[in-house]
Every structure is written in C-alpha cells, then in structure tokens.
Amino acid sequence: MTAPGEAARRGPARRPTIKDIARRAGVSESAVSFALNDRPGVSDGTRARIRRVADELGWRANSAARALSGERAGCLGLVLARPARTLGVESFFLQLVSGIQEVLSARHTALLFQVVEDLDTECVLYRRWWAERRVDGVLVVDPRTDDPRPALLAALGLPAVIVGGPTGPTHHASTAPLLSTVWADDAKAMARILDHLHALGHRRIVHVAGLPGLAHTTRRIHSLRTEAARRGLDARQVRSVTTDYSDAEGAAATRRLLDATTPPTALVYDNDVMAVAGASVAAGRGIPVPGRLSVVAWDDSPLCRVAHPPLTALVRDTAGFGRLAAGELLALLDGGPPRTVEGELPHLEPRESTGPPPQDN
C-alpha cells in the first residue's frame, strides 16, 4: 500500500512513449509508428492491438512533433488587439468565442487565444506562430479599413478567416487562396435602427460608436450619414462620435452630448454596456427614458433585457457567427476554396427605451 505523500515524492507521472507501447504490445517501435500514423506496413490486427495498448497507457500524439513532421498542430489562433480594460464588460467576444469553441470541440481542435496591445504586436505574433507551427490557421477579428493582416497572412501562407469582413464583402481568392471572409451587413442593420427612430419622430440622433478605424465602425458611420441624407435630415443633428467601447467612455460621451445646447433626442450605442451606462447618466440627470431620450443598443444581451427600462436592441446570433467563422476556417484547412459568406442580418427588438421625442423638440 502506498504511504500518504509517497506518490507526490515520486514526482510527476511520466508520459507514455512509443517505446512503452512497443514493449507492451510486443512489436517494434516502427510498427507502432506505422499504426498510430495510419501508414501501411502493419496488419489490421496488429494496428488494432497497438491502438488498444496506446489507449490503455493514455498515450497522446505530441503536437510539436506532429507539426515538425508536417502534420497539423490541431490548434487555431485568435488574437485580440483591444484595450484589455474593455474586455471584462464586452459580451460580444464571449458569445463569439463560445460559438467558435462549439465547432472546434467537435473536431478536437484547440483554440489559442491571446490579447495584445496593438496591431503591430498582433502581426509579430502571427509571424512567430507561423515560424513555430503553433497553429494551423487563425481567426482574424476587428478588421480595419486599412488592414495589413490579410496581406501578411497571404505571404506567410497561413490559412485565415476574416471575421467581420473588410470594408464590404470582398473575395480574396485571386490574391490569398487561403483566406475566407465572414461578414455582417452593418449598413442594413443601421438602416433598420434609423427606420425605427425616424418613424417615431426623432430628428436629432447621435450614434455613440466604438473604436475608430475598425471596418464595422466605418460602415456604421457611413450608413448613418447615408440614411440621414436619404431622409433629408440635418447632418449636424444626425452624426457619430467614437469611443473605446467601455462603459466609462460611453458615459462620458453621453454627458457631453446631453450638455449640448440642442441635445439629441435619441442615442444609438455600439454595444450593450455603453447603452446601459448612457441610460444611467440620463437617469442621474433626471432625464426620463424614453420620455425625453430614446436609447438603442447595437448588441442585445441579458444586460439590455434587465435594465430599467428594458433597452431596445439589435438582436443577432453572435454565437452563430462564431460557429460560421470556425466552420469556414476548418473547411479551408480541409482543402475547401476560399469563400465570402454573409451572416444572418440582425433584427431590431423594440422595447421600452424608445418612444416619440418630447413635444417641445
């Protein structure tokens, strides 16, 4: 009987090797290698016996060795170049990653996730992952209007899916045969929001946007301008301001807007936390929502539904978008062609935070 603490004194358990499997199965090490790598050279019976012994010993392939031999690493990469302080309150990425993981776990594929300070550091990381063969491909988020990453990944030959699209649905097959895109129509989504607010009678609408330079921020800002012009609205009264997506900047932007000589009657926030923060600022100033200010959140979440009043929000299947992106990357790795795939168009869910503007406006 093993004395208490004896196992700990022996040190960590040793990983089983091909030599251990060969000894237990009574075959040569080369036979084990043939069997575990699905190569000819052993009979079906011997192959089955070797695999059974490997399972009994708890043997698993060494991912680094597999990469050096030209096999897949069994891992995909995801890098996020955003201020780290904004991630704890950003529900979008949690839902996106949950959808990605759902697909990858079914294929026994790992996800290597890293947060970096800026785009330059992200590009350096891609080069290192490629040199070390750490990942088979990458999911690229937050595409920029002038983005160096697609060209870099194409030069490296590292398969990738751009999540969110560049400035529109663009097919990369001619320049990057290992690059696919999944995207959402932010322009139509913004048009739906403006349709709702315009029909209620709002003419002073400000979009509290996310980070400048992101492709989807640019699309949303452009769509707001286009839709406002189409309806003959004053460009000085229907406009966008940018933030870092945090509740702090969302609240600060709201204070500045409400301090204006002619404040907006409706605010559209690029995420749920900024919308809740903005509604809280209004409540603190005694401005009723929606009596004097209507509030819309771009992304729906439980936070929007439990707020008081519940927030009108743009509803989309973010986890489904993650599943779509992961599936497209796995399809590329399996030899499929690069594709540009549009995700489901979000729909607006009107709730109690939007109503007609006050009569004195």
Side-chain angles (χ1 to χ4, degrees), residues 47-121:
R47 189 186 307 275
R49 185 170 82 254
I50 291 171
R51 288 182 172 176
R52 185 174 61 253
V53 169
D55 287 340
E56 291 171 354
L57 293 175
W59 179 87
R60 294 293 182 271
N62 183 297
S63 59
R66 292 177 66 181
L68 288 173
S69 67
E71 297 184 55
R72 288 189 186 179
C75 182
L76 303 182
L78 173 62
V79 184
L80 192 57
R82 277 200 186 186
R85 66 183 182 279
T86 67
L87 299 182
V89 294
E90 179 71 86
S91 64
F92 172 83
F93 281 104
L94 180 62
Q95 296 176 50
L96 184 76
V97 170
S98 72
I100 292 170
Q101 283 287 84
E102 186 178 340
V103 171
L104 298 190
S105 62
R107 287 281 296 266
H108 304 290
T109 300
L111 180 67
L112 180 57
F113 176 70
Q114 190 158 340
V115 178
V116 297
E117 289 296 319
D118 51 42
L119 204 61
D120 289 340
T121 308

Side-chain angles (χ1 to χ4, degrees), residues 202-206 236-239 253-267 285 287 292-294 357-358 360-361:
H202 292 278
R203 301 297 181 265
R204 300 202 303 272
I205 304 165
V206 177
R236 293 168 298 180
Q237 302 293 345
V238 181
R239 59 193 179 89
T254 303
R255 293 187 194 98
R256 290 193 299 271
L257 293 167
L258 295 180
D259 284 340
T261 304
T262 307
T265 62
L267 293 174
R285 294 187 172 201
I287 300 172
R292 296 194 66 82
L293 179 69
S294 287
D360 57 352
N361 280 263

Side-chain angles (χ1 to χ4, degrees), residues 8-247:
R9 288 194 297 272
R10 291 175 182 169
R14 186 175 66 85
R15 293 185 179 89
T17 65
I18 285 180
K19 182 179 293 186
D20 297 326
I21 298 170
R23 186 183 303 113
R24 173 79 67 90
V27 296
S28 67
E29 291 179 34
S30 60
V32 174
S33 179
F34 291 152
L36 297 180
N37 290 290
D38 282 326
R39 294 173 182 165
V42 294
S43 67
D44 291 342
T46 300
R47 189 186 307 275
R49 185 170 82 254
I50 291 171
R51 288 182 172 176
R52 185 174 61 253
V53 169
D55 287 340
E56 291 171 354
L57 293 175
W59 179 87
R60 294 293 182 271
N62 183 297
S63 59
R66 292 177 66 181
L68 288 173
S69 67
E71 297 184 55
R72 288 189 186 179
C75 182
L76 303 182
L78 173 62
V79 184
L80 192 57
R82 277 200 186 186
R85 66 183 182 279
T86 67
L87 299 182
V89 294
E90 179 71 86
S91 64
F92 172 83
F93 281 104
L94 180 62
Q95 296 176 50
L96 184 76
V97 170
S98 72
I100 292 170
Q101 283 287 84
E102 186 178 340
V103 171
L104 298 190
S105 62
R107 287 281 296 266
H108 304 290
T109 300
L111 180 67
L112 180 57
F113 176 70
Q114 190 158 340
V115 178
V116 297
E117 289 296 319
D118 51 42
L119 204 61
D120 289 340
T121 308
E122 180 176 345
C123 290
V124 169
L125 187 59
Y126 288 147
R127 290 183 182 278
R128 189 169 82 236
W129 282 355
W130 169 79
E132 296 174 354
R133 303 186 183 184
R134 295 284 300 278
V135 297
D136 299 314
V138 293
L139 295 154
V140 180
V141 296
D142 283 345
R144 269 63 169 181
T145 51
D146 186 16
D147 202 322
R149 294 173 295 177
L152 169 63
L153 295 167
L156 294 175
L158 187 60
V161 169
I162 308 296
V163 182
T167 55
T170 304
H171 206 287
H172 302 278
S174 59
T175 57
L178 296 176
L179 185 64
S180 286
T181 297
V182 297
W183 71 291
D185 197 331
D186 293 290
K188 286 183 180 177
M190 179 61 83
R192 288 185 169 184
I193 293 173
L194 204 59
D195 280 341
H196 174 67
L197 294 174
H198 186 264
L200 288 171
H202 292 278
R203 301 297 181 265
R204 300 202 303 272
I205 304 165
V206 177
H207 167 217
V208 183
L211 290 164
L214 298 185
H216 68 258
T217 301
T218 301
R219 286 196 298 267
R220 294 174 191 180
I221 291 173
H222 178 74
S223 177
L224 182 72
R225 291 173 181 165
T226 301
E227 294 298 323
R230 189 168 66 83
R231 294 169 173 82
L233 301 179
D234 188 341
R236 293 168 298 180
Q237 302 293 345
V238 181
R239 59 193 179 89
S240 300
V241 296
T242 57
T243 69
D244 67 356
Y245 283 109
S246 70
D247 55 334

Side-chain angles (χ1 to χ4, degrees), residues 271-285:
N271 68 10
D272 53 347
V273 294
M274 289 200 299
V276 171
S280 178
V281 168
R285 294 187 172 201

